[in-house]
Amino acid sequence: MRSSRSAGNALRRWCYTLSSPSVALGRNERLRAPGFPCGDVREYIVSAASAGASSWVRSCVSSHLVANSTQPRQDFFRTFSEAAVAEEPAGEAGSPAVESLYKELNDSIRQKCLPKATLLPSLLKNCASPADVKLALDAVDRLRRVKAVQGQQKTNYNKNIAQLMVEACIRSGDPLAALPTLMKRNVYGFTPSLDQGHLLLEHAFGQKDTKLMLKVLRTMVTNDIFPTPVSAELIIRTCKDAGNTELLFQLAKEMRGNGVSLKKHLYDMLIATAANVGDVKQLYQVQQWREEQGIEHTTASAFALAKALVLEGNAEDAAKTILHHCNDAEKRNIYLQIMVKVWPLQVGAKVAEEEKHALLEDLKKKVAIMCESLVQSGCNVPVDVNEDFAKGAGSKSKAEDEVWTGGASS
């Protein structure tokens, strides 16, 4: 009885607000009652009946819906249409091609007819500057409103239009303008999808732009577009190429914690990066992740562990690790050269200048002990530590290229 009375009071208040002029424009939208269990008045009839509401409650709702089931006043449509066909705002002129297509689209709208279906995609494909993108966004908004008024567009644009919009923003040099395409609630009627997110992440990867990558990732997650293994690879590669190892490991940990699967070669990327910057603690963390996933050692992971053992002063154990897990002699020789020539420079770049000399001297002794242990075990060592130590040209080597492309998988 109490639930019926409270439902009746709520309905009285809701019916009163619907008769208010301030909400007249909202009648064309879905009727949504604040505080109702189902949110929709029509759905609430069923809920009220199943809850044993009084006949007055049901009759009140039914009579109100019948009274308001007619089409809204024509002046509402007229006002809405005028907003869609209003004069375009003055601003920086776009390219001639975009201006021409934009004018053609607007002329069709002013004549109360829909433009050709190919007109909007053509406009988006021709965008090449921020001014073009601004015109394109305005055109998208106007066309959406006109279609909504005429009842021809009851849902958002399909994802193809959203992807064309992202590509247009990237070409124009303003990728942030494409973020609304990832939002569930955007005024343009874009349909958010993972494809738009990947387009923006690929652009951030190409530009080594971690700030853009983070903004895209944050927008995706906020709008329930969750990263996939492909997203994870783009994110990790962006951090790696930008040299932001701290962010790399932080995001890798967060993605694993939120159920995003990492591809097997990404674990090689992570463990090799940890070894190259001398982060032993993070290296063992990544190795633990590998073991949890049941991933066997590769040449890259074995040498990463060997580097950690060398840093800890266990050069003989490092040699044993290499012998046990690296059966491919050709790959082993390549990685040994990199470990002697390039790796010391990578580790030394992460320490203070006054500490670098002492670190390199200590590393040279430990690496020499490891190589000597390998020779005594019958392993060919194609490099002379005394002559070649820290004499590499940099980190762009065949061995590292294998790691980052996932080629070192055995």
Side-chain angles (χ1 to χ4, degrees):
M1 185 64 183
R2 179 176 300 177
S3 62
S4 298
R5 185 179 299 110
S6 60
N9 292 335
L11 281 170
R12 288 192 190 94
R13 291 194 299 271
W14 177 236
C15 293
Y16 176 79
T17 58
L18 286 176
S19 64
S20 173
S22 62
V23 295
L25 293 181
R27 291 179 179 175
N28 193 40
E29 301 177 358
R30 187 182 181 191
L31 297 173
R32 184 161 295 278
F36 279 20
C38 336
D40 194 320
V41 176
R42 295 172 177 83
E43 296 174 13
Y44 188 75
I45 297 175
V46 180
S47 299
S50 61
S54 67
S55 58
W56 181 88
V57 172
R58 293 193 295 273
S59 63
C60 176
V61 177
S62 300
S63 61
H64 174 76
L65 294 180
V66 170
N68 289 276
S69 60
T70 57
Q71 292 294 329
R73 299 189 312 274
Q74 290 302 316
D75 59 345
F76 167 69
F77 281 121
R78 186 158 53 250
T79 302
F80 201 83
S81 299
E82 288 171 358
V85 301
E87 290 293 331
E88 57 267 22
E92 184 180 353
S95 63
V98 172
E99 287 276 4
S100 175
L101 291 168
Y102 178 75
K103 184 177 183 300
E104 182 180 348
L105 186 144
N106 267 333
D107 288 345
S108 297
I109 292 176
R110 290 195 186 95
Q111 295 169 11
K112 307 294 182 179
C113 62
L114 291 177
K116 293 182 293 185
T118 58
L119 191 57
L120 181 59
S122 298
L123 190 152
L124 294 174
K125 290 176 182 177
N126 279 278
C127 289
S129 69
D132 290 345
V133 168
K134 185 176 180 180
L135 289 176
L137 287 172
D138 185 66
V140 167
D141 186 28
R142 288 169 183 266
L143 184 57
R144 176 192 62 80
R145 285 186 284 172
V146 169
K147 285 187 174 183
V149 166
Q150 297 187 3
Q152 297 192 26
Q153 181 165 321
K154 299 180 181 179
T155 59
N156 287 341
Y157 290 107
N158 59 41
K159 67 177 184 180
N160 293 331
I161 294 295
Q163 290 176 28
L164 288 174
M165 190 73 247
V166 173
E167 293 169 357
C169 293
I170 291 174
R171 282 196 306 274
S172 71
D174 187 13
L176 291 179
L179 289 182
T181 65
L182 298 174
M183 300 176 182
K184 289 190 294 184
R185 297 176 178 85
N186 63 83
V187 298
Y188 303 105
F190 293 124
T191 300
S193 74
L194 188 62
D195 294 331
Q196 288 102 264
H198 283 172
L199 285 174
L200 289 169
L201 288 176
E202 287 171 3
H203 177 71
F205 168 56
Q207 299 296 315
K208 302 179 183 180
D209 190 342
T210 55
K211 290 184 178 179
L212 173 61
M213 179 269 291
L214 285 174
K215 289 180 180 179
V216 173
L217 179 60
R218 187 180 301 115
T219 305
M220 287 171 57
V221 174
T222 303
N223 291 276
D224 297 333
I225 304 175
F226 297 107
T228 64
V230 175
S231 315
E233 181 161 358
L234 290 170
I235 291 166
I236 288 176
R237 287 179 178 274
T238 302
C239 294
K240 183 264 174 182
D241 284 4
N244 195 334
T245 55
E246 182 179 353
L247 180 61
L248 184 152
F249 293 123
Q250 177 187 345
L251 291 178
K253 184 176 181 180
E254 289 181 4
M255 284 187 287
R256 287 191 78 259
N258 286 282
V260 180
S261 299
L262 303 183
K263 297 181 180 180
K264 289 183 179 180
H265 67 266
L266 287 182
Y267 288 102
D268 277 353
M269 291 184 184
L270 292 168
I271 200 168
T273 301
N276 290 340
V277 300
D279 191 340
V280 175
K281 181 179 178 181
Q282 188 61 60
L283 187 150
Y284 285 129
Q285 176 70 67
V286 176
Q287 179 55 28
Q288 182 180 345
W289 296 346
R290 292 171 59 89
E291 292 173 355
E292 291 173 358
Q293 296 295 320
I295 301 175
E296 296 182 356
H297 270 296
T298 64
T299 306
S301 65
F303 267 86
L305 283 178
K307 291 173 183 178
L309 291 169
V310 167
L311 289 171
E312 292 176 331
N314 301 319
E316 292 85 357
D317 291 340
K320 292 178 182 178
T321 299
I322 293 173
L323 288 171
H324 183 67
H325 296 292
C326 303
N327 298 321
D328 189 326
E330 183 180 356
K331 281 188 177 182
R332 183 175 62 223
N333 291 342
I334 293 173
Y335 275 80
L336 276 172
Q337 293 183 61
I338 297 304
M339 188 171 180
V340 173
K341 295 179 180 179
V342 178
W343 177 58
L345 298 175
Q346 294 173 321
V347 177
K350 300 298 180 180
V351 299
E353 192 65 32
E354 58 272 15
E355 301 175 3
K356 184 178 296 186
H357 180 73
L359 173 67
L360 292 179
E361 286 296 321
D362 183 55
L363 271 183
K364 185 175 182 179
K365 294 177 183 177
K366 293 174 181 177
V367 171
I369 294 173
M370 183 196 76
C371 291
E372 181 64 26
S373 180
L374 287 172
V375 171
Q376 292 177 0
S377 300
C379 176
N380 177 45
V381 178
V383 65
D384 187 339
V385 177
N386 293 324
E387 294 292 331
D388 300 325
F389 185 82
K391 296 295 178 63
S395 61
K396 295 298 180 183
S397 60
K398 182 177 179 181
E400 286 203 329
D401 287 343
E402 284 187 3
V403 172
W404 295 112
T405 57
S409 57
S410 61

